[in-house]
Amino acid sequence: MYWTLELASHLEDAPWPATKEELIDFAIRTGAPLEVVENLQQLENGDGEVFETIEDIWADYPRDDEDFYWNRDEYEL
């Protein structure tokens, strides 16, 4: 299982909190790439465990704009 920003972005509008089955259903209904569905199917969770946010699935999911963009000003000479 691997996550990228592009794959995880398909779950941003998911109905949080959600169970694994609800997330899989959401991904299928919204036309997310097959990799998203496969990643969700590989999640290890107990019976009916609820995921509160995408961070419960991918702990490194960037939330701030600073995480998304490279600050060119810091590296210009």
Side-chain angles (χ1 to χ4, degrees):
M1 173 174 60
Y2 69 94
W3 288 101
T4 65
L5 187 56
E6 181 183 353
L7 292 177
S9 69
H10 291 279
L11 297 177
E12 283 185 348
D13 295 329
W16 302 103
T19 64
K20 174 181 169 178
E21 290 74 23
E22 290 171 334
L23 291 172
I24 291 170
D25 181 59
F26 174 82
I28 292 170
R29 285 185 296 110
T30 58
L34 182 59
E35 290 89 350
V36 174
V37 176
E38 290 172 347
N39 284 349
L40 291 170
Q41 290 171 338
Q42 292 177 17
L43 288 176
E44 296 179 16
N45 69 330
D47 253 352
E49 179 183 348
V50 174
F51 297 99
E52 296 295 326
T53 65
I54 196 163
E55 285 91 357
D56 291 344
I57 295 171
W58 185 30
D60 293 332
Y61 183 75
R63 277 292 183 185
D64 299 331
D65 286 342
E66 293 176 15
D67 291 336
F68 285 105
Y69 302 107
W70 178 62
N71 187 350
R72 182 184 307 222
D73 295 337
E74 289 181 19
Y75 298 96
E76 288 184 353
L77 297 176

